Amino acid sequence: MAGQSDTRPSTAVLAIPTGLAVFTAATVLLTIHVLGVAVIAAAIVFFGAFALTFLLDRFVLREPRDDPRPNP
């Protein structure tokens, strides 16, 4: 039909929201990944420090139990 305008959306109308949605999804996934790695690393550091503290307390810092010397 002559004189009718094209009612299809332009490329920018589709491309810009699609690009923003893909960027947002990638940012969310990367953030979740980074936070997951950070939580795992924090757990390793925490339990490592706990284990070292336990070992120091158990084997190094305790006085001998069967000390024959009298207490002053």
Side-chain angles (χ1 to χ4, degrees), residues 4 6 14 17 25-26 30 38 42-43 49 55 60 63 66-67 72:
Q4 261 188 334
D6 190 7
L14 295 175
L30 183 63
L55 290 173
V60 177
E63 293 181 13
D66 298 326
D67 192 358

Side-chain angles (χ1 to χ4, degrees), residues 28-38:
V28 168
L29 290 175
L30 183 63
T31 302
I32 291 170
H33 178 73
V34 168
L35 288 176
V37 170

Side-chain angles (χ1 to χ4, degrees), residues 3-65:
Q4 261 188 334
S5 64
D6 190 7
T7 57
R8 291 181 297 163
S10 68
T11 305
V13 171
L14 295 175
I16 291 173
T18 302
L20 287 173
V22 169
F23 175 75
T24 302
T27 303
V28 168
L29 290 175
L30 183 63
T31 302
I32 291 170
H33 178 73
V34 168
L35 288 176
V37 170
V39 167
I40 291 171
I44 290 171
V45 169
F46 174 78
F47 287 116
F50 179 79
L52 286 175
T53 303
F54 176 76
L55 290 173
L56 280 174
D57 184 56
R58 180 86 176 130
F59 298 114
V60 177
L61 298 177
R62 294 262 171 117
E63 293 181 13
R65 290 192 175 138

